[in-house]
């Protein structure tokens, strides 16, 4: 994350998601229809340099957002684009930056905010990281070559070489479709 622009411990507007988790090092499309979500997007763009906290709800059927009903790990994101539709939906593309620990959540002026702390990745040795990448990269390359829906920029990242954490985040975003498993993987640091 660009730490020159993001404070490590501060309140950020929350975009609570239903059915999808955003991982760092990835971009996703999110459609927001709930009033508090649309307001959070607007405030994020107007007052927070497009930074927004993307947090998966534990139960997608819940409309009430409380600390106990969201994942306690979310992803600090940056809104890359936003589009308002006639039906009231706001569609945003959000780029995942870093995992954050949610310390508290509250509503103010119809918007949820969370006090967060950036989580540091677990340190592993260069040898361990290289071994991890080697053991899985070949299989992923085979999957990617047989799947035309994988974005070219992802294939380019793999061919240039990436670290184990970024690798795991990209794979989790691309291939894990089970929502509960996504939340579980997001909570891994």
């Amino acid at each position: 994350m660009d730490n020159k622009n993001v404070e490590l411990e501060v309140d950020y507007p929350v975009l609570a998601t239903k059915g999808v988790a955003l991982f760092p090092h990835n971009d996703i499309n999110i459609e927001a229809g709930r009033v508090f979500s649309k307001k959070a997007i607007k405030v994020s763009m107007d007052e927070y340099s497009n930074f927004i906290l993307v947090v998966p709800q534990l139960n997608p059927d819940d409309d009430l957002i409380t600390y106990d009903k969201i994942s306690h790990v979310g992803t600090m994101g940056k809104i890359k684009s936003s589009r308002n539709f006639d039906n009231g939906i706001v569609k945003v593309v959000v780029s995942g930056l870093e995992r954050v620990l949610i310390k508290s959540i509250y509503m103010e002026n119809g918007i949820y905010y969370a006090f967060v702390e950036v989580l540091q990745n677990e340190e592993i040795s260069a040898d361990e990281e290289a071994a991890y990448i080697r053991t899985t990269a070949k299989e992923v390359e085979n999957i990617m070559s047989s799947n035309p829906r994988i974005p070219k920029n992802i294939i380019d990242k793999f061919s240039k070489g990436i670290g184990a954490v970024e690798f795991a985040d990209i794979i989790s975003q691309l291939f894990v479709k089970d929502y509960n498993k996504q939340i579980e993987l997001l909570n891994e640091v």
Side-chain angles (χ1 to χ4, degrees), residues 48-68:
Y48 288 83
S49 302
N50 289 10
F51 290 106
I52 193 162
L53 177 61
V54 179
V55 180
Q57 292 180 222
L58 297 177
N59 181 350
D61 295 329
D62 277 341
D63 277 331
L64 181 63
I65 309 298
T66 67
Y67 186 76
D68 293 332

Side-chain angles (χ1 to χ4, degrees), residues 46-189:
D46 292 346
E47 300 174 24
Y48 288 83
S49 302
N50 289 10
F51 290 106
I52 193 162
L53 177 61
V54 179
V55 180
Q57 292 180 222
L58 297 177
N59 181 350
D61 295 329
D62 277 341
D63 277 331
L64 181 63
I65 309 298
T66 67
Y67 186 76
D68 293 332
K69 294 185 177 193
I70 60 170
S71 170
H72 295 165
V73 175
T75 302
M76 182 56 64
K78 189 155 189 173
I79 297 172
K80 293 174 72 172
S81 65
S82 173
R83 182 170 177 204
N84 295 317
F85 288 90
D86 291 340
N87 64 358
I89 298 293
V90 177
K91 189 173 190 176
V92 291
V93 177
V94 182
S95 183
L97 303 174
E98 294 283 346
R99 278 178 178 77
V100 295
L101 176 66
I102 294 132
K103 293 185 160 193
S104 65
I105 188 165
Y106 61 93
M107 182 179 263
E108 184 176 291
N109 298 323
I111 301 168
Y112 286 101
Y113 292 89
F115 182 71
V116 301
E117 174 184 320
V118 173
L119 291 171
Q120 301 302 316
N121 293 318
E122 185 178 309
E123 295 292 323
I124 61 173
S125 73
D127 290 340
E128 287 176 308
E129 185 171 45
Y132 171 76
I133 295 293
R134 273 195 312 275
T135 58
T136 54
K138 191 68 170 169
E139 206 49 49
V140 170
E141 286 177 11
N142 290 338
I143 292 168
M144 291 184 345
S145 67
S146 65
N147 188 342
R149 294 181 3 185
I150 296 175
K152 182 175 176 352
N153 67 323
I154 299 300
I155 295 170
D156 291 343
K157 281 185 180 184
F158 285 122
S159 65
K160 292 177 184 169
I162 59 174
V165 172
E166 184 174 353
F167 181 80
D169 287 340
I170 291 170
I171 295 305
S172 297
Q173 191 77 60
L174 281 174
F175 297 117
V176 177
K177 300 304 175 202
D178 179 80
Y179 183 56
N180 291 322
K181 186 66 175 176
Q182 286 180 343
I183 293 172
E184 180 184 323
L185 291 170
L186 185 63
N187 280 277
E188 305 251 339
V189 181

